[in-house]
Amino acid sequence: MKDYNDGEMNRRQFSASLASSLLPYPALAAPPAPFGPVPTARQLLWHELEVYAFLHFTINTFTDKEWGYGDESPSLFAPSAFDAGAILEALSAGGMKAVILTCKHHDGFCLWPTKTTAHSVRNSKWRDGRGDVVKEIAEAARRRGMKFGVYLSPWDRNNAHYATAEYIRIYREQLRELLTQYGPIYEVWHDGANGGDGFYGGKREKRTIDKRVYYDWPNTWEMVRKLQPNAVIFSDVGPDIRWVGNEKGFANETCWATFTPSARDGGPAMPGLVKEKESPTGHRNGKQWLPAECDVSIRPGWFWHENQNPRVKQPRDLMDLYFKSVGRGASFLLNVPPDRRGLLHESDVASLKGFGTAVREMFAKNLATGATVKASNTRAGAFRAANLVDGRRDTCWASQDTVMQPSVELQLRRDEALRVIRLREAIPFGQRIDSIAVDAWQDGDWKEVAAATSIGNCRLLQLPEPVRTARVRVRVTQAAASPALCEIGLF
Ligand code: FUL
C-alpha cells in the first residue's frame, strides 16, 4: 500500500516557524528530532477540532429502523419542516466544530440528487424532488464556520450491482460527486459494516464480499487525496483516523495516537477486519500516526425513534464522555439524529446546549495564564517554558535530548481552586511521553494530586475534589524521547 504519511515535511514546517524568530542564531534553534510517526498537516487540523457531530438521517427515520433493507420507496422520505440552519444552530450551541452527514446509509438511499441511482431524494416528494440535504447541511455548516464531512456507506442493500465490480465504479462516482459538489470536505467516513442480505434491485438475496479485496480501498483513498487533499479518511484502519473500537464514545485510559492495524484473520488489515480490541488503546510503538475517534449516539439508536425520546443522554453523561475521549487524546463524535420533521428533537437540543455550556464554562478561564513558569531543564532556542502558558499550540517547551524526566513548576499569582489540568504534547515531534505526575504545593510540601500515561494531543486530568494551591508541578516520570509539551492548562 502507498505511504500516505507526509508528516516529516509537516514537522519541518512546524520547527521552521518556531525557529524563525531565531534566524540570526541558527545554532540555538535546533528542534528535537521526531520520535516515531508524526501527524500529517491534515491530521493536525483534525486534532484541533476535538468535538464534532454526526447526523444520522435517511428513510430509516420514517420507517423506525436502524438498518433499512433497501426496498423502501423514496417517497417515504418526507421531512415536514427540514431546517438545516436550525440543526446547525443546535449543534453549534453544543460546541460542535464540524458535522458529518450520512449521505447514504446501508439502505442505499442518497440524500443528494445523485446521477448514479434513482434511489435518492430526487424521487421523493420532499421539495417536489428538487431538494438536496447534503447541500443544505454543507452550506449551513459553512455559514456557522463549521467544517463538513461525509459518511458514504460502502454496503448498499438497494443497488442491483452490489458485490460486482460495477458497484465499485458506482461507489467511487458517488464519492466523486460528494467530494466535488459541496465545497471543502474535512472528513470522509467509511463504515465497516458489510455484506449480507438485501433488496439488491429486487433479487432479495444474501450477498457476501471479500472485505480484503472487494472495495480496493487504496485506489478509493487515492481518489479522495486527489479531490480533497485536506480531508482525513476515517475507517477501522484509517489511513488517517482510526475507529476507537466501540460505539460507546470512549477511549482507553491509556490511548496512543500510534497504531499498527492488523486483521483478526491474520491477513492485511481492512475496514471491517481489524482487531478492534486493540483499537481503544492503540500501540505504544505503532507504525502509523492513527489517532482514535470515539463515536456514540446521544440516544440508544443511531437514527431517531419516537420511543427513544425519553432516553436522550444528559449533559453530565456527555461531559463524562468528553473527558473519556478528548481528555484521552482522541476525538468525540456525537451523533444527534434529526426527527421526522427534519429537526433535532427538543430533548436533544436541550442536552446539546447544556453540554456546550458546561464545556465552555469549565475551560473559560485558564488559571495558568500569567503564571511564572520554571523548568528543571530547557533546550536551547525557542523552547522556553513560558510557551506552556501562551495559549498557542505552535510554540512549545522542550528539554535537552538527554533529559528524559524534566519537571516544570508553575507559580500562580494567588491560591486557586483547581479542578482540571490540561496537558498537550507538541505532537509534530511525535508522542514522546510515557507518563507524568502532577503535584500541588500544600501545607509546605509537594503532594501528588494526579498522574497519567499517554498524553498526545490532549490529556485532561480531573481532580476528584478541587485542590487549593498557588504552585503546581508537572513531572515527566517516563519518556521514550526528550519531552516536548505545548500546554499546561489549569482550570
Ligand atoms: C455502524 C453502522 O452499522 C451504524 O448503522 C452506524 O452508522 C454506525 C456509526 O456505524 O457500523
Side-chain angles (χ1 to χ4, degrees), residues 374-385 396-400 403 406:
K374 268 193 236 141
S376 65
N377 178 276
T378 299
R379 75 187 297 118
F383 304 95
R384 302 187 300 273
C396 70
W397 158 78
S399 67
Q400 289 169 309
V403 180

Side-chain angles (χ1 to χ4, degrees), residues 54 56 66-67 105-106 151 189 191-193 247 295 302-303:
F54 232 162
H56 272 66
E66 278 291 306
W67 281 11
H105 202 252
H106 308 329
Y151 169 118
W189 218 92
D191 197 282
E247 292 184 335
D295 61 330
W302 290 101
F303 288 91

